[in-house]
Coordinates of all heavy atoms in Angstrom, one line a residue:
N136 N 34.6 -10.3 70.4 CA 33.9 -10.7 69.1 C 32.7 -9.7 68.9 O 32.4 -9.3 67.8 CB 33.4 -12.1 69.2 CG 32.8 -12.6 67.9 OD1 33.4 -12.8 66.9 ND2 31.4 -12.7 67.9
Y137 N 31.9 -9.4 69.9 CA 30.8 -8.5 69.8 C 31.2 -7.1 69.3 O 30.6 -6.6 68.4 CB 30.1 -8.4 71.2 CG 28.8 -7.6 71.1 CD1 27.6 -8.0 70.6 CD2 28.9 -6.2 71.6 CE1 26.5 -7.2 70.6 CE2 27.7 -5.4 71.5 CZ 26.6 -5.9 71.0 OH 25.4 -5.1 71.0
L138 N 32.3 -6.6 69.9 CA 32.8 -5.3 69.5 C 33.2 -5.3 68.0 O 33.0 -4.4 67.3 CB 33.9 -4.9 70.4 CG 33.6 -4.5 71.8 CD1 34.8 -4.3 72.7 CD2 32.7 -3.2 71.8
L139 N 33.9 -6.4 67.7 CA 34.4 -6.5 66.3 C 33.2 -6.5 65.3 O 33.2 -5.9 64.3 CB 35.2 -7.8 66.2 CG 35.8 -8.2 64.8 CD1 37.2 -8.9 65.0 CD2 34.9 -9.1 64.0
V140 N 32.2 -7.3 65.6 CA 31.0 -7.4 64.8 C 30.3 -6.0 64.6 O 30.0 -5.6 63.5 CB 30.0 -8.4 65.3 CG1 28.6 -8.4 64.6 CG2 30.6 -9.8 65.2
K141 N 30.1 -5.4 65.8 CA 29.4 -4.1 65.7 C 30.2 -3.0 65.0 O 29.6 -2.1 64.4 CB 29.1 -3.6 67.2 CG 28.0 -4.4 67.9 CD 26.6 -4.1 67.2 CE 25.5 -4.8 67.9 NZ 24.2 -4.4 67.4
M142 N 31.5 -3.0 65.1 CA 32.3 -2.0 64.5 C 32.6 -2.2 63.0 O 32.7 -1.3 62.3 CB 33.7 -1.9 65.3 CG 33.5 -1.4 66.7 SD 35.1 -1.6 67.6 CE 36.2 -0.6 66.7
L143 N 32.7 -3.5 62.6 CA 33.1 -3.8 61.2 C 32.1 -4.5 60.3 O 32.4 -4.8 59.2 CB 34.4 -4.7 61.3 CG 35.6 -4.2 62.1 CD1 36.7 -5.2 62.1 CD2 36.1 -2.8 61.5
A144 N 30.9 -4.7 60.8 CA 29.9 -5.4 60.1 C 29.5 -4.8 58.7 O 29.1 -5.5 57.8 CB 28.6 -5.6 60.9
K145 N 29.7 -3.5 58.6 CA 29.4 -2.8 57.3 C 30.5 -2.8 56.3 O 30.4 -2.4 55.2 CB 29.0 -1.3 57.6 CG 27.7 -1.2 58.4 CD 27.4 0.3 58.7 CE 26.1 0.4 59.4 NZ 25.8 1.9 59.7
W146 N 31.7 -3.3 56.8 CA 32.9 -3.4 55.9 C 32.8 -4.6 55.0 O 32.3 -5.7 55.3 CB 34.1 -3.5 56.8 CG 35.4 -3.4 56.1 CD1 35.7 -2.5 55.0 CD2 36.6 -4.0 56.4 NE1 37.0 -2.7 54.6 CE2 37.6 -3.6 55.5 CE3 37.0 -5.0 57.3 CZ2 38.9 -4.0 55.5 CZ3 38.3 -5.4 57.3 CH2 39.3 -5.0 56.4
R147 N 33.2 -4.4 53.8 CA 33.2 -5.4 52.7 C 33.9 -6.7 53.1 O 33.4 -7.8 52.8 CB 33.8 -4.8 51.4 CG 33.7 -5.8 50.3 CD 34.4 -5.1 49.1 NE 34.5 -6.0 47.9 CZ 35.1 -5.7 46.8 NH1 35.6 -4.5 46.6 NH2 35.1 -6.6 45.8
Y148 N 35.0 -6.6 53.8 CA 35.8 -7.8 54.1 C 35.5 -8.3 55.5 O 36.3 -9.1 56.1 CB 37.3 -7.5 53.9 CG 37.6 -7.0 52.5 CD1 37.9 -5.7 52.2 CD2 37.7 -8.0 51.5 CE1 38.2 -5.3 50.9 CE2 38.0 -7.6 50.2 CZ 38.3 -6.3 49.9 OH 38.6 -5.9 48.6
F149 N 34.4 -7.9 56.1 CA 34.1 -8.3 57.4 C 34.1 -9.8 57.6 O 34.6 -10.3 58.6 CB 32.7 -7.7 57.9 CG 32.2 -8.4 59.1 CD1 32.7 -8.1 60.3 CD2 31.1 -9.2 59.0 CE1 32.2 -8.7 61.5 CE2 30.6 -9.8 60.1 CZ 31.1 -9.6 61.3
P150 N 33.5 -10.6 56.7 CA 33.4 -12.1 56.9 C 34.8 -12.7 57.1 O 35.0 -13.6 57.9 CB 32.8 -12.6 55.6 CG 31.9 -11.5 55.2 CD 32.7 -10.3 55.5
W151 N 35.8 -12.2 56.4 CA 37.2 -12.7 56.5 C 37.7 -12.4 57.9 O 38.4 -13.3 58.5 CB 38.1 -12.1 55.4 CG 37.8 -12.6 54.1 CD1 37.0 -11.9 53.1 CD2 38.2 -13.8 53.5 NE1 36.9 -12.7 52.0 CE2 37.6 -13.8 52.1 CE3 38.9 -14.9 53.9 CZ2 37.8 -14.9 51.3 CZ3 39.1 -16.0 53.0 CH2 38.6 -16.0 51.7
V152 N 37.5 -11.2 58.4 CA 38.0 -10.8 59.7 C 37.3 -11.7 60.8 O 37.9 -12.1 61.7 CB 37.7 -9.3 60.0 CG1 38.1 -8.9 61.4 CG2 38.4 -8.4 58.9
L153 N 36.0 -11.9 60.6 CA 35.2 -12.7 61.6 C 35.8 -14.1 61.7 O 36.0 -14.6 62.8 CB 33.7 -12.7 61.2 CG 32.8 -13.5 62.0 CD1 32.6 -12.8 63.4 CD2 31.4 -13.7 61.3
W154 N 36.1 -14.7 60.5 CA 36.6 -16.0 60.5 C 38.0 -16.1 61.1 O 38.3 -17.0 61.9 CB 36.6 -16.6 59.1 CG 35.4 -17.2 58.7 CD1 34.4 -16.8 57.9 CD2 34.9 -18.5 59.1 NE1 33.4 -17.7 57.7 CE2 33.7 -18.8 58.5 CE3 35.5 -19.5 59.9 CZ2 33.0 -20.0 58.7 CZ3 34.8 -20.7 60.1 CH2 33.5 -20.9 59.5
M155 N 38.8 -15.1 60.8 CA 40.2 -15.1 61.3 C 40.2 -15.0 62.8 O 41.0 -15.7 63.5 CB 41.0 -14.0 60.6 CG 41.4 -14.3 59.2 SD 42.6 -13.1 58.5 CE 41.6 -11.7 58.3
F156 N 39.4 -14.1 63.3 CA 39.3 -13.9 64.7 C 38.9 -15.2 65.5 O 39.5 -15.6 66.5 CB 38.3 -12.8 65.0 CG 38.1 -12.5 66.5 CD1 38.9 -11.6 67.2 CD2 37.0 -13.2 67.2 CE1 38.7 -11.4 68.6 CE2 36.8 -12.9 68.5 CZ 37.6 -12.1 69.2
N157 N 37.9 -15.8 65.0 CA 37.3 -17.0 65.7 C 38.2 -18.2 65.5 O 38.4 -19.0 66.5 CB 35.9 -17.3 65.2 CG 34.9 -16.4 65.8 OD1 34.4 -16.6 66.9 ND2 34.5 -15.3 65.1

Side-chain angles (χ1 to χ4, degrees):
N136 183 73
Y137 181 80
L138 288 172
L139 181 144
V140 170
K141 286 291 183 175
M142 292 170 61
L143 302 178
K145 293 181 180 179
W146 189 35
R147 180 181 175 184
Y148 300 104
F149 165 74
W151 292 98
V152 177
L153 180 69
W154 272 103
M155 285 190 290
F156 176 88
N157 281 278

